[in-house]
Amino acid sequence: MTTYGSFPGTRPRRLRTSPVMRRMVAETRLHPADFILPAFVREGVSEPVPISSMPGVVQHTRDSLKKAAAEAVAAGISGIMLFGVPEESKKDGVGTAGTDPDGILQVALRDVRAEVGDDLLVMSDLCLDEFTDHGHCGVLDDQGRVDNDATLERYAEMAQVQADAGAHVVGPSGMMDGQIGVIRDALDQIGRDDVAILAYTAKYASAFYGPFREAVGSSLQGDRRTYQQDPANLRESMRELELDLEEGADMVMVKPAGPYLDVLAKVADAVDVPVVAYQISGEYAMIEAAAERGWIDRDKAILESLTGIRRAGARSILTYWATEVAQTLR
């Protein structure tokens, strides 16, 4: 005789029975507009240069960068974040090429704005590390330490030059104290209150940046632990968040994304400004390397990683798969 009531009355599995059911009840969705494409442009090359540790990613020429920007528009993504890679001979102790109106980053900004106009948010990395011969994000003092306040003066000049070159958004990534306030003042002083600031609010001293060092031809000596955040700390990020908002940040970022989803969720719960996450080079490289060896399903792993970042609270995601995934979603 059948005994009724001996089985569960509530069956969550009923909402997982088919692809269309799962799609209907999905709590988190990816959309092309969620994505921002980080892109590298290298001075003095005639062909794109593959980045060995980031399969599928290149250091662009000026022409190939314009093509990538046009493809990003067609795919429906929201932005492109530009990183300049100058010739080695142009690096110096204060990152002069980073504020030269004819430096590679400023030239690339003008190129991309001319190509896409306002159809794509043109964003600019605002940092000195690509342009210094020591590879640090700021000016060094006579003891070899990063001088916070001297660096802020350089950042102010960079912000103005990048705005003049066409940046819609500047992304100060150097983790100097007070950088958002100084940059906001510098932009306002030249009448560029229309340029937004994407604050790298919680940027950790991560081991996952390795492939990025190759991508930008880094000359780093030592490490950046005296200014980037300690991976062990969360409350420190919330303090940085409060300060950045007080200084005028329009958007805030958590970087890296995947290993810091708890930080991302905490930040997203605390603010009413857009929250951005950067899925960095090491995260990209791990998935590509595992997929190359046949250990994981590449496409499913990419979408799962991005869905997790979105679910944790990111409104926008910087990812090297931005255009590819957007094309798939469309």
Side-chain angles (χ1 to χ4, degrees), residues 42 235 308:
R42 179 171 170 178
R235 284 194 293 267

Side-chain angles (χ1 to χ4, degrees), residues 47-65:
E47 297 290 338
V49 179
I51 300 168
S52 64
S53 55
M54 300 176 69
V57 181
V58 301
Q59 295 172 326
H60 284 286
T61 66
R62 290 174 60 186
D63 285 340
S64 69
L65 177 64

Side-chain angles (χ1 to χ4, degrees), residues 40-303:
F40 308 100
V41 57
R42 179 171 170 178
E43 188 173 23
V45 294
S46 58
E47 297 290 338
V49 179
I51 300 168
S52 64
S53 55
M54 300 176 69
V57 181
V58 301
Q59 295 172 326
H60 284 286
T61 66
R62 290 174 60 186
D63 285 340
S64 69
L65 177 64
K66 290 188 287 186
K67 181 180 178 182
E71 290 174 348
V73 172
I77 73 174
S78 291
I80 185 168
M81 175 69 80
L82 301 185
F83 297 84
V85 185
E87 295 178 343
E88 282 294 322
S89 63
K90 295 185 179 179
K91 294 182 179 182
D92 61 22
V94 297
T96 300
T99 50
D100 180 354
D102 294 321
I104 183 59
L105 183 52
Q106 283 67 252
V107 169
L109 286 167
R110 290 194 292 270
D111 285 345
V112 174
R113 276 302 298 272
E115 183 72 21
V116 302
D118 294 328
D119 292 337
L120 185 70
L121 284 175
V122 180
M123 304 178 170
S124 186
D125 179 57
L126 200 165
C127 195
L128 291 171
D129 59 324
E130 297 100 312
F131 307 102
T132 55
D133 54 12
H134 47 72
H136 279 285
C137 297
V139 178
L140 303 184
D141 63 18
D142 57 8
Q143 298 184 52
R145 302 171 301 188
V146 175
D147 186 324
N148 191 95
D149 295 359
T151 299
L152 294 182
E153 295 182 15
R154 299 288 295 127
Y155 285 3
E157 185 178 355
M158 285 190 82
Q160 293 176 339
V161 171
Q162 291 178 358
D164 286 343
H168 293 105
V169 180
V170 295
S173 60
M175 291 302 289
M176 296 297 116
D177 294 338
Q179 63 184 14
I180 302 303
V182 166
I183 290 167
R184 183 72 270 160
D185 286 346
L187 290 169
D188 292 349
Q189 284 175 17
I190 61 169
R192 297 308 306 272
D193 56 1
D194 58 322
V195 175
I197 299 177
L198 168 56
Y200 283 59
T201 292
K203 182 179 180 182
Y204 286 89
S206 173
F208 292 97
Y209 294 138
F212 183 88
R213 305 278 191 257
E214 178 189 353
V216 297
S218 175
S219 303
L220 181 62
Q221 302 167 19
D223 60 46
R224 296 177 175 142
R225 294 183 179 277
T226 62
Y227 45 103
Q228 293 178 352
Q229 288 179 232
D230 186 335
N233 295 347
L234 170 59
R235 284 194 293 267
E236 184 179 16
S237 293
M238 304 311 293
R239 185 183 185 200
E240 293 276 6
L241 175 65
E242 182 180 356
L243 292 169
D244 282 352
L245 293 175
E246 286 177 355
E247 292 174 24
D250 299 289
M251 299 173 277
V252 296
M253 183 196 290
V254 174
K255 179 182 181 182
Y260 297 90
L261 294 181
D262 59 326
V263 180
L264 176 59
K266 188 83 168 179
V267 168
D269 286 344
V271 301
D272 55 6
V273 300
V275 176
V276 180
Y278 196 148
Q279 185 182 52
I280 66 168
S281 59
E283 298 174 73
Y284 175 94
M286 286 192 299
I287 290 177
E288 290 287 353
E292 182 182 358
R293 288 159 176 76
W295 295 341
I296 60 174
D297 183 308
R298 176 185 182 274
D299 294 347
K300 288 181 180 178
I302 290 170
L303 288 175

Side-chain angles (χ1 to χ4, degrees), residues 30-37 68-80 116 119-121 315-317 321-330:
L30 296 173
H31 186 278
D34 296 339
F35 302 125
I36 299 164
L37 176 68
E71 290 174 348
V73 172
I77 73 174
S78 291
I80 185 168
V116 302
D119 292 337
L120 185 70
L121 284 175
R315 173 64 273 174
S316 301
I317 305 171
W321 291 301
T323 301
E324 176 188 340
V325 172
Q327 290 169 340
T328 300
L329 294 174
R330 288 171 70 89

